[in-house]
Short mmCIF file of all heavy atoms in Angstrom, two decimals:
data_model
loop_
_atom_site.label_atom_id
_atom_site.label_comp_id
_atom_site.label_asym_id
_atom_site.label_seq_id
_atom_site.Cartn_x
_atom_site.Cartn_y
_atom_site.Cartn_z
N GLN X 121 1.30 2.17 -38.24
CA GLN X 121 1.40 0.83 -38.78
C GLN X 121 1.58 0.88 -40.31
O GLN X 121 2.20 -0.04 -40.89
CB GLN X 121 0.12 0.06 -38.44
CG GLN X 121 0.09 -1.38 -38.90
CD GLN X 121 1.18 -2.25 -38.32
OE1 GLN X 121 1.73 -1.93 -37.26
NE2 GLN X 121 1.53 -3.35 -39.01
N THR X 122 1.14 1.92 -40.98
CA THR X 122 1.25 1.98 -42.45
C THR X 122 2.66 2.29 -42.90
O THR X 122 2.96 2.19 -44.10
CB THR X 122 0.28 3.05 -42.98
OG1 THR X 122 0.65 4.35 -42.50
CG2 THR X 122 -1.17 2.76 -42.56
N THR X 123 3.53 2.72 -41.98
CA THR X 123 4.89 3.05 -42.36
C THR X 123 5.75 1.82 -42.58
O THR X 123 6.83 1.91 -43.17
CB THR X 123 5.57 3.89 -41.28
OG1 THR X 123 5.64 3.17 -40.05
CG2 THR X 123 4.76 5.20 -41.06
N GLY X 124 5.30 0.67 -42.14
CA GLY X 124 6.10 -0.53 -42.23
C GLY X 124 7.20 -0.62 -41.18
O GLY X 124 8.03 -1.55 -41.21
N LEU X 125 7.26 0.32 -40.26
CA LEU X 125 8.29 0.33 -39.22
C LEU X 125 7.81 -0.26 -37.90
O LEU X 125 8.60 -0.41 -36.98
CB LEU X 125 8.73 1.81 -38.99
CG LEU X 125 9.31 2.53 -40.19
CD1 LEU X 125 9.63 3.99 -39.83
CD2 LEU X 125 10.55 1.81 -40.74
N GLY X 126 6.53 -0.57 -37.84
CA GLY X 126 5.97 -1.08 -36.57
C GLY X 126 6.51 -2.45 -36.22
O GLY X 126 6.52 -3.38 -37.06
N GLU X 127 7.05 -2.60 -35.07
CA GLU X 127 7.53 -3.87 -34.57
C GLU X 127 6.91 -4.16 -33.22
O GLU X 127 6.68 -3.25 -32.40
CB GLU X 127 9.09 -3.85 -34.42
CG GLU X 127 9.82 -3.62 -35.73
CD GLU X 127 11.31 -3.57 -35.55
OE1 GLU X 127 11.76 -3.65 -34.33
OE2 GLU X 127 12.06 -3.46 -36.54
N GLU X 128 6.67 -5.43 -32.99
CA GLU X 128 6.09 -5.91 -31.71
C GLU X 128 4.80 -5.14 -31.37
O GLU X 128 4.62 -4.66 -30.27
CB GLU X 128 7.10 -5.77 -30.55
CG GLU X 128 8.35 -6.60 -30.76
CD GLU X 128 9.31 -6.49 -29.62
OE1 GLU X 128 9.01 -5.70 -28.69
OE2 GLU X 128 10.36 -7.16 -29.64
N MET X 129 3.92 -4.99 -32.40
CA MET X 129 2.61 -4.38 -32.21
C MET X 129 2.69 -2.88 -31.92
O MET X 129 1.75 -2.30 -31.37
CB MET X 129 1.83 -5.11 -31.08
CG MET X 129 1.76 -6.59 -31.24
SD MET X 129 0.93 -7.11 -32.75
CE MET X 129 -0.79 -6.69 -32.33
N ASN X 130 3.81 -2.21 -32.26
CA ASN X 130 3.91 -0.78 -31.99
C ASN X 130 2.86 0.04 -32.75
O ASN X 130 2.52 1.13 -32.30
CB ASN X 130 5.31 -0.26 -32.37
CG ASN X 130 6.32 -0.61 -31.31
OD1 ASN X 130 5.97 -0.76 -30.14
ND2 ASN X 130 7.56 -0.71 -31.69
N GLY X 131 2.42 -0.45 -33.88
CA GLY X 131 1.49 0.29 -34.70
C GLY X 131 0.02 0.06 -34.36
O GLY X 131 -0.83 0.56 -35.07
N PHE X 132 -0.25 -0.63 -33.24
CA PHE X 132 -1.61 -0.93 -32.85
C PHE X 132 -1.88 -0.42 -31.45
O PHE X 132 -0.98 -0.33 -30.61
CB PHE X 132 -1.90 -2.47 -32.90
CG PHE X 132 -1.74 -3.06 -34.26
CD1 PHE X 132 -0.53 -3.63 -34.64
CD2 PHE X 132 -2.77 -3.01 -35.15
CE1 PHE X 132 -0.38 -4.19 -35.91
CE2 PHE X 132 -2.64 -3.60 -36.43
CZ PHE X 132 -1.45 -4.16 -36.80
#
Side-chain angles (χ1 to χ4, degrees):
Q121 181 62 23
T122 64
T123 63
L125 302 176
E127 297 179 357
E128 299 181 358
M129 308 299 287
N130 281 334
F132 298 95

